[in-house]
Amino acid sequence: MFKSVAMLPGMASDLLNVLVDKAFRREAPSRSEALELLSDSHDVLQVVAAGSRVRQAHFGKRVKLNTIVNMKSGLCPEDCGYCSQRLGSASDVLKYSWIAPEKAAEVARQAVEAGVKRVCLVASGRGPGDRDITRIEHTIAAIKQDSPLVEVCVCLGLLADGQAERLAAAGAHAYSHNLNTSESRYAEICSTHTFADRTDTLRRATAAGLSPCSGAIFGMGETDDDIVDLATDLRALDPDSVPVNFLIPFEGTPLGGRWELTPDRCLRILALMRFYFPDVEVRLAGGREIHLRGLQPMALHLANSIFLGDYLTSEGQPGADDRQMIADAGFVIEGADEQSLPEARHDLVAIRRRGAGTNLPANA
């Protein structure tokens, strides 16, 4: 009656079992495996169930809450096609210059009281000047005075020499800079900077000791091959957290007419990110309310982190609704004193037993 026992409801296919086993060994999917996962060859419920095994093995039932503080909004000189703050944007978004450190600290304190563990300080623009770094230094100090345990993530665009080091010294925990789309089609999305500019900034942040945070925006016309290329490039950068955004199609932007995502597509993308990043913080980010809609709770079985409250220029669903959704789905909010990432992988540290000083050939 059935072609294969592996396709019975509630049972994972051979591919999904392979991907789970690989994830437990921290191996990435092959290209063909990744492309098959993104196709409709496997029931989406089975895909989510397989990804959930990996998510729960590393993060249990915990969900980490993050929030954004938009330090400076609008009037950006870059022309990223997805962004409502872009050069030439006709979107009717808020436009203002830098908010005071005290105001940012107040917003952060309210978020921490609501269960937030990471506060992301974001400012529009190509990259910060020295005065901007000073503003962020003062803001971090103000936030830490009220909420000493909160993680502060900074997102200011492209970094110049010495800036990442200053942010780390000021107490920043992480630096966020998304790759957004694949290298091969990056010029279709933005012409004022390059994919290489973005990877360079992320490497600067990592070298300075900041936790690297980098993800993407999906729903911009990318193919399955683009998604796999992006995931591969992201994995090579070894981020600690991977925000998964789904395009918010703002009117007045070049991508304002794109509404191609479905909840099924979003869940498959999230599952792929979990298999590429099994023990990394995968964050459900912008656009989740729009594109996942009633299936947001299912996404929690793949992502172990979400943004709480509003985004840069668009509103999210009320924080109380998010917290209720997390509880209703059987998850718990991660506390400030809990470890987000798994324990250190001491098994990856291999003592040299060959080459100079031994009778064995070097590994060269």
Side-chain angles (χ1 to χ4, degrees):
M1 182 180 297
F2 296 102
K3 292 183 178 179
S4 170
V5 174
M7 296 310 293
L8 286 170
M11 297 182 65
S13 70
D14 289 343
L15 170 72
L16 298 180
N17 285 327
V18 167
L19 291 177
V20 170
D21 290 342
K22 278 190 166 186
F24 286 153
R25 298 194 302 269
R26 291 174 173 82
E27 295 178 15
S30 70
R31 186 173 196 85
S32 62
E33 290 166 347
L35 290 172
E36 184 177 340
L37 185 76
L38 290 172
S39 74
D40 59 0
S41 301
H42 305 273
D43 184 85
V44 72
L45 291 179
Q46 294 179 344
V47 170
V48 172
S52 178
R53 290 173 59 192
V54 179
R55 181 245 197 266
Q56 291 206 39
H58 292 295
F59 302 99
K61 289 288 188 178
R62 305 193 311 278
V63 177
K64 181 177 178 179
L65 300 185
N66 313 259
T67 201
I68 291 174
V69 180
N70 194 347
M71 300 292 295
K72 179 169 75 77
S73 182
L75 306 175
C76 184
E78 303 299 287
D79 68 353
C80 306
Y82 52 83
C83 185
S84 59
Q85 304 180 86
R86 72 187 298 272
L87 178 69
S89 171
S91 299
D92 186 25
V93 299
L94 289 171
K95 299 178 179 65
Y96 54 83
S97 188
W98 290 89
I99 65 173
E102 295 74 22
K103 177 61 177 176
E106 178 186 347
V107 174
R109 182 175 62 254
Q110 293 170 352
V112 170
E113 291 172 354
V116 161
K117 186 171 181 177
R118 175 178 291 194
V119 173
C120 303
L121 305 179
V122 187
S124 62
R126 179 178 178 83
D130 287 342
R131 288 184 62 191
D132 300 329
I133 296 293
T134 299
R135 289 186 177 101
I136 294 296
E137 289 170 334
H138 293 328
T139 301
I140 293 172
I143 290 173
K144 289 289 190 177
Q145 182 174 352
D146 291 338
S147 308
L149 295 181
V150 73
E151 296 176 1
V152 177
C153 179
V154 181
C155 180
L156 305 175
L158 303 176
L159 292 175
D161 290 345
Q163 292 182 329
E165 287 77 7
R166 286 182 62 184
L167 293 172
H173 172 79
Y175 196 83
S176 180
H177 200 58
N178 290 334
L179 297 188
N180 288 329
T181 195
S182 66
E183 183 174 15
S184 64
R185 69 184 304 265
Y186 197 84
E188 300 175 31
I189 300 302
C190 178
S191 69
T192 48
H193 61 265
T194 67
F195 187 89
D197 290 330
R198 287 188 169 265
T199 57
D200 174 70
T201 281
L202 201 65
R203 290 190 178 98
R204 287 174 182 266
T206 304
L210 295 169
S211 176
C213 172
S214 187
I217 304 172
F218 298 100
M220 299 193 292
E222 65 280 345
T223 65
D224 287 358
D225 281 301
D226 290 322
I227 294 174
V228 175
D229 287 344
L230 172 68
T232 302
D233 286 340
L234 269 176
R235 185 177 165 101
L237 292 169
D238 198 21
D240 289 335
S241 53
V242 179
V244 177
N245 296 273
F246 302 113
L247 178 69
I248 301 175
F250 285 97
E251 293 184 3
T253 66
L255 298 181
R258 283 201 173 273
W259 292 89
E260 61 198 43
L261 291 172
T262 64
D264 181 286
R265 178 71 165 171
C266 293
L267 290 171
R268 292 179 191 278
I269 291 170
L270 279 166
L272 185 71
M273 292 299 108
R274 176 51 70 200
F275 287 126
Y276 266 92
F277 302 97
D279 58 348
V280 166
E281 181 183 336
V282 175
R283 185 177 306 129
L284 190 56
R288 62 181 169 90
E289 301 92 341
I290 296 171
H291 298 293
L292 280 162
R293 300 187 286 279
L295 295 190
Q296 285 188 80
M298 192 177 295
L300 295 177
H301 291 273
L302 299 167
N304 64 294
S305 178
I306 68 170
F307 275 113
L308 185 76
D310 298 329
Y311 304 102
L312 284 173
T313 58
S314 66
E315 294 183 354
Q317 66 188 30
D321 291 351
D322 278 339
R323 292 190 294 274
Q324 188 65 57
M325 175 182 72
I326 291 168
D328 289 346
F331 292 89
V332 295
I333 294 172
E334 183 176 298
D337 58 345
E338 293 177 294
Q339 184 172 312
S340 293
L341 298 178
E343 293 291 338
R345 291 290 313 284
H346 293 294
D347 58 303
L348 296 179
V349 181
I351 304 298
R352 183 172 67 85
R353 305 293 186 192
R354 59 196 172 199
T358 77
N359 294 324
L360 298 175
N363 184 28

